[in-house]
Amino acid sequence: MTISVDGVVMRRLILIIFFLLSLGLRSQEVSMLQFEDEELSINTGDVQKSTSSQDVFVKKLAGLNNRQLSKFFSKSGSIEKLIKKADEYYDKMWYAEAAGVYDLVLEKSDAPHTFELLSKAGDSHYYSGNLEKSYKWYHELYETFNEDISEEKFFKYAHTLKGTGKYRRAAKLTKLFRQKNGKPLKELSESHFTFDEPALVEIKNLAINSPYSDFSPMFHNDSEVVFSSAHDSSFLTTRKYRWNNQPYLDLYVARADGDGEDLTSPKKFSKKINTKYHEASVAFSPDQKTIYFTRNNYGKKLKRGKNGINHLKIYQSKLVDGEWTSAVEVSFNSENFSTGHPSVSPDGKKLYFVSDRPGGFGLTDVYAVDILENGAFSEPKNLGRTINTDKKEMFPYITENTLYFSSDREMGVGGLDIYKADYINDSFSVGVNVGEPINSSRDDFSYIIDENNQKGYFASNRKGGKGDDDIYSFKNIINLNVISGSAEDDATGEKLADAIVTLFNKDNVKIAESKTLLDGTFVFENLKPESNYTVKTTKKGYFEGTTSISTKNNITVGITQSLKQLNEIVEEEGVLKIETETIYFDFDRFNIKKQASEELDKLVEVMTQYPNMVIKIESHTDAIGSKAYNKYLSDKRAKSTRDYIISQGIDASRIQSAIGYGEEQLLNGCSDGTRCAITKHRQNRRSEFIIVEM
């Protein structure tokens, strides 16, 4: 994918970068995809010879046992020399080699675990795609140097947390980090981070995937798909870039099977378009006679901008007499920033792309240009804040009414996530995360879909793949997981209209709400299969009804919510009371038992439905024991009852008093000196709730 690199490194002539896919080939880089071209070094032969000797050095060192390593590290200056070697690899962006050497230093020597050492070790694994090892070093960095962590470094750490399944910690630390840095937490709950309705999707890893990076599929003709791959199909070993020791990217074309669920027979797309450098991310005009694709800035030789960087450009080629013409670049490219990831609208009138050009909102933004009748292009237009954030947006794919794209914005599922935004009234709505299973804890990107048949392809470096990035096919299935139910009066069976029905998931997070119809019915659609939910129904004058229910495999499940009426307000000798089942306490105890809490929950519900109600609590005991002690015990019972009600969300001001009367107000004749059965004494151990205001 892409990375950001210090300007000092970029200016080193011997480290000329020849491919900056600012638009994200792989998954763990931060802003651009950069590659080094050894051919452009001052002395190619010396560099290649040096590279070979360095590989041997690293491999030999990694092969030493603990005793041999201990002997090696005991030599004066050996640790410093090894760190210097790792730093050289790091500066050249040879992250795989750098990671291995940093690991040796951190795990096998007694070198101090400094901020710089931990940071570079974490970065090296992050950029080369090893999230588990990257998490190890970032986590130690965060725990040891919490106050010194930059926003960029924390962002990477949060990605490794999600990438290794630690979602709750990622969310918790993100909130803490934003608070510490004075950033508003409300941004974390804005619609940029909303998720689409749960979908039923069949996903399949394709036969054409290699051990290397395969991504950016694009529909071609009726039954073909063009894609990018680092697969080495040559008889002889081709040149490799040192970022991750993979061959350079070429465009391939494969045939889709009848159902479009797999791709077979891949072959190089075109000798006129593929070069010894990288080609990736293609788009075709509606008539399939024009291709747009991403390539590093390349004429007869690589070209560099004023900052010494070889940027990306979009090129186009025409199909003439069955052959693709030599590619030419589009007019909105630049020598000084990158442009790539093209996507053509279905009517062929607009071209969407990604760029890190000045004036954007984040690291890379999505733009659009008009394709004019004479083949020229309008000035690029940024798609705005509903699509772009301060992070990376990339890999756009436009359909008739929807834009799909990938982003590594905060609070996603993990890494790059796929989002969609509907095109309504000449503008795009806020991007919505398409959710699992399309998105995973790793990077998910280059999503394309045939909306008529609800199937398509995307790329991901999720666990379980064949290589680095793999291409997956997907097929959306009509979601028939439904909870259908009705609300009725528990006593009469009468159907209850206008009751509020709320649906909660297994984590007790509210996901939907509706009102019952005139016949008391309600429906929740598009649910996950074989998942646990809770349905809560409320209506004024009734107790809340709560039922746990599980969906099955793509069928409707039914439920009936029977609500009990709130007939608990009674009048006794001119005094209004809330009638509950007797709340009993154990002998000589004042703690709230389970049975008591269930009754008090009903009281809380009554007070919730009558928000102006104010009560006072009176607690009583039996006559066993001394009057003074019983007075003390009943007062403790009254106040524990009050505390429980407050703990359930009732404001303390709505409880005027909580007083214990001991044995002063017995319900029967079981006073001191009178013999009574234990059940008679128990009747006097009670609490009463008197309404002061309504």
Side-chain angles (χ1 to χ4, degrees), residues 54-89:
Q54 289 165 351
D55 288 343
V56 172
F57 166 73
V58 174
K59 288 178 180 178
K60 283 187 176 181
L61 201 59
L64 298 179
N65 59 37
N66 289 339
R67 182 178 178 183
Q68 291 169 324
L69 280 172
S70 179
K71 184 178 180 180
F72 172 81
F73 286 129
S74 67
K75 296 178 181 178
S76 177
S78 61
I79 296 176
E80 291 76 11
K81 290 179 181 178
L82 201 56
I83 294 175
K84 183 179 179 181
K85 179 63 64 179
D87 289 344
E88 289 176 1
Y89 292 157

Side-chain angles (χ1 to χ4, degrees), residues 581-586 589-603 644 648 682:
E581 296 292 330
T582 304
I583 297 175
Y584 291 115
F585 294 89
D586 287 338
R589 294 288 185 270
F590 54 83
N591 58 299
I592 302 297
K593 300 169 62 179
K594 184 176 186 298
Q595 178 269 343
S597 68
E598 291 174 351
E599 290 304 313
L600 290 178
D601 286 342
K602 295 178 182 178
L603 169 64
Y644 180 85
Q648 300 306 300
R682 191 180 181 191

Side-chain angles (χ1 to χ4, degrees), residues 55-175:
D55 288 343
V56 172
F57 166 73
V58 174
K59 288 178 180 178
K60 283 187 176 181
L61 201 59
L64 298 179
N65 59 37
N66 289 339
R67 182 178 178 183
Q68 291 169 324
L69 280 172
S70 179
K71 184 178 180 180
F72 172 81
F73 286 129
S74 67
K75 296 178 181 178
S76 177
S78 61
I79 296 176
E80 291 76 11
K81 290 179 181 178
L82 201 56
I83 294 175
K84 183 179 179 181
K85 179 63 64 179
D87 289 344
E88 289 176 1
Y89 292 157
Y90 184 90
D91 289 344
K92 292 180 180 180
M93 293 173 287
W94 296 359
Y95 295 113
E97 284 93 339
V101 180
Y102 285 130
D103 285 350
L104 284 172
V105 173
L106 289 167
E107 295 175 343
K108 302 297 184 179
S109 79
D110 58 0
H113 288 203
T114 64
F115 182 94
E116 181 180 15
L117 194 57
L118 290 169
S119 178
K120 286 184 175 180
D123 285 349
S124 296
H125 284 295
Y126 184 87
Y127 295 143
S128 54
N130 188 339
L131 289 188
E132 287 78 9
K133 208 59 180 286
S134 180
Y135 160 74
K136 176 180 179 179
W137 301 129
Y138 281 156
H139 180 67
E140 184 177 341
L141 182 74
Y142 180 83
E143 294 293 314
T144 310
F145 301 99
N146 185 280
E147 296 301 318
D148 302 318
I149 295 287
S150 66
E151 183 174 359
E152 178 188 358
K153 197 70 65 179
F154 178 82
F155 185 65
K156 295 177 189 174
Y157 175 43
H159 268 190
T160 65
L161 284 167
K162 288 186 284 187
T164 52
K166 302 172 182 66
Y167 291 105
R168 290 187 179 180
R169 180 167 175 80
K172 178 182 177 180
L173 293 186
T174 297
K175 290 181 180 179

Side-chain angles (χ1 to χ4, degrees), residues 526-549:
N526 294 320
L527 304 179
K528 293 182 179 180
E530 298 178 344
S531 299
N532 298 323
Y533 294 92
T534 299
V535 178
K536 292 185 179 180
T537 306
T538 59
K539 184 175 175 62
K540 190 169 184 178
Y542 289 86
F543 284 113
E544 177 184 89
T546 301
T547 304
S548 296
I549 188 170

Side-chain angles (χ1 to χ4, degrees), residues 210-221:
S210 70
Y212 301 109
S213 187
D214 306 283
F215 66 102
S216 280
M218 183 55 61
F219 299 117
H220 180 47
N221 295 327

Side-chain angles (χ1 to χ4, degrees), residues 469-482:
D469 300 314
D470 278 4
I471 300 174
Y472 293 78
S473 67
F474 71 88
K475 180 171 65 175
N476 291 333
I477 302 171
I478 297 175
N479 191 341
L480 300 178
N481 287 305
V482 173

